[in-house]
Amino acid sequence: MSKHALITGVTGQDGSYLAELLLDKGYEVWGVVRRASTENYERIEHLRDRIRFVHADLLDQSSLTQALLDSEPDEVYNLAAQSFVPTSWTQPVLTAEFTALGVTRLLESIRQVNPGIRFYQASSSEMFGKVAEVPQTETTPFYPRSPYGAAKAYGHYITVNYRESYGLHCTSGILFNHESPRRGREFVTRKVTDGVARITRGLQHGLPMGNLDAKRDWGFAGDYVEAMWRMLQQPEGDDYVVATGETNTVQRLVEVAFSHAGLDWTEHVTLDERFVRPAEVDLLIGDGSKAEAKLGWTPTVGFDHLIRMMVDADLERVS
């Protein structure tokens, strides 16, 4: 009998890569989708006939319970959230409902339907915010600097709570920034690579940017979903930082992307205050040594390769 996995956020970047991985491993993959007037299956179009879909919503617990009853999962991966940090300032309550309370609703449904289900929570490096130490580990205190980071911190702690209170196999992956050609265009890496492609093709002239000095630990999403799967194969639930351990500035991202297309970034990039966060997270860099030691996981795609891959994909898409 093949294992069953239920993925919330299956139509997102991580959901699409995770679905691919699990299908390759012989899983029966179920994806949670919300009822909406417009459907966006772009990232999983190539998998659509291999995934079984169930309609549910993190805002509606009874629908989550029904999704669990329908899919009978061995593993649940909660990747759904209001995941764009700037939006969390304009929609802080909705962000909390999805990204914080949504986790509780799903955990409570699991507890009631089948406490044997293994649960993965997508935690985030944004929980560290104004960092207390560099690099950040599983024990670094959280100091979130956005409604999104605060909501993720709640989701993280409620996952720990269900693990310790009810003995559920609950795991949080504290993932640092992870990107790919499937990243949404609103995120800075994809904004840059898409901008480079459009400038190269003459469809756009300038690229307005915010804080070029912000530093992030960027990896490849395809690598990071492998870590998620490995976490749920462990005998006990736990928390793991997933990161490359290398940091790059937004300016370095811009330089690599533009130079790959044969362009001088200084001729195209302008600074725009609208894209500067109300409270900036200046330096995120993760220590993934626990994931390496316990899961045998290390990243395979380096930063420069990742950005060039994204530029190439956007050049192809724009043309």
Side-chain angles (χ1 to χ4, degrees):
M1 281 263 303
S2 61
K3 277 188 178 178
H4 288 204
L6 180 68
I7 304 171
T8 73
V10 72
T11 59
Q13 168 188 255
D14 293 8
S16 67
Y17 281 108
L18 179 63
E20 276 179 354
L21 177 82
L22 296 177
L23 287 166
D24 286 347
K25 292 185 181 296
Y27 279 67
E28 182 174 297
V29 174
W30 290 68
V32 172
V33 288
R34 296 167 63 203
R35 288 207 184 276
S37 55
T38 56
E39 293 181 335
N40 181 12
Y41 290 91
E42 180 189 350
R43 296 184 183 92
I44 54 168
E45 200 59 60
H46 62 299
L47 306 171
R48 204 164 168 178
D49 59 344
R50 300 172 64 198
I51 297 173
R52 302 186 67 170
F53 295 101
V54 58
H55 286 280
D57 196 308
L58 287 176
L59 302 185
D60 177 36
Q61 188 168 341
S62 63
S63 70
L64 297 173
T65 299
Q66 191 59 50
L68 293 171
L69 291 169
D70 290 345
S71 59
E72 300 181 323
D74 301 283
E75 300 168 4
V76 170
Y77 295 85
N78 183 37
L79 310 186
Q82 189 301 100
S83 62
F84 188 45
V85 175
T87 299
S88 75
W89 274 289
T90 57
Q91 297 185 315
V93 176
L94 186 66
T95 299
E97 286 285 358
F98 272 117
T99 309
L101 291 178
V103 186
T104 316
R105 294 186 188 102
L106 187 49
L107 283 165
E108 189 57 20
S109 290
I110 286 171
R111 186 176 76 84
Q112 292 172 1
V113 171
N114 176 7
I117 292 169
R118 296 187 172 200
F119 176 77
Y120 173 84
Q121 166 60 12
S123 288
S124 168
S125 59
E126 288 284 337
M127 301 186 304
F128 295 121
K130 190 175 179 181
V131 298
E133 60 185 5
V134 179
Q136 292 89 53
T137 72
E138 291 79 9
T139 58
T140 302
F142 299 147
Y143 194 143
R145 298 270 279 171
S146 66
Y148 171 79
K152 278 293 187 185
Y154 174 95
H156 178 86
Y157 280 128
I158 201 68
T159 301
V160 173
N161 217 271
Y162 271 69
R163 180 169 73 221
E164 295 179 351
S165 301
Y166 301 117
L168 300 187
H169 191 297
C170 296
T171 289
S172 279
I174 306 172
L175 271 55
F176 280 66
N177 294 64
H178 45 290
E179 317 297 318
S180 76
R182 299 179 196 171
R183 189 57 140 154
R185 287 185 183 84
E186 68 273 22
F187 292 88
V188 68
T189 46
R190 186 71 199 291
K191 173 184 171 178
V192 169
T193 61
D194 182 61
V196 165
R198 297 178 70 80
I199 289 167
T200 303
R201 301 289 188 241
L203 301 172
Q204 182 175 322
H205 297 293
L207 183 65
M209 295 289 294
N211 180 12
L212 294 180
D213 297 324
K215 295 174 180 154
R216 295 289 185 275
D217 183 328
W218 278 298
F220 172 51
D223 283 342
Y224 284 36
V225 299
E226 168 81 26
M228 297 176 189
W229 174 77
R230 291 189 184 201
M231 288 177 209
L232 291 200
Q233 311 318 306
Q234 302 306 304
E236 305 284 336
D238 205 345
D239 306 323
Y240 298 90
V241 163
V242 179
T244 68
E246 294 177 15
T247 186
N248 286 280
T249 61
V250 174
Q251 182 169 320
R252 169 87 182 126
L253 153 67
V254 167
E255 289 169 359
V256 173
F258 275 87
S259 69
H260 185 55
L263 299 172
D264 179 353
W265 72 273
T266 60
E267 294 177 5
H268 302 280
V269 172
T270 55
L271 297 182
D272 189 327
E273 290 297 319
R274 289 177 304 159
F275 299 112
V276 177
R277 295 183 181 185
E280 183 56 87
V281 174
D282 295 312
L283 175 59
L284 290 175
I285 178 168
D287 176 356
S289 54
K290 178 178 174 180
E292 183 174 0
K294 285 197 154 189
L295 308 176
W297 180 88
T298 51
T300 65
V301 177
F303 176 75
D304 286 26
H305 180 196
L306 169 64
I307 301 308
R308 289 195 291 263
M309 177 204 309
M310 291 176 67
V311 170
D312 287 340
D314 277 325
L315 283 167
E316 190 176 328
R317 191 179 282 110
V318 167
S319 65

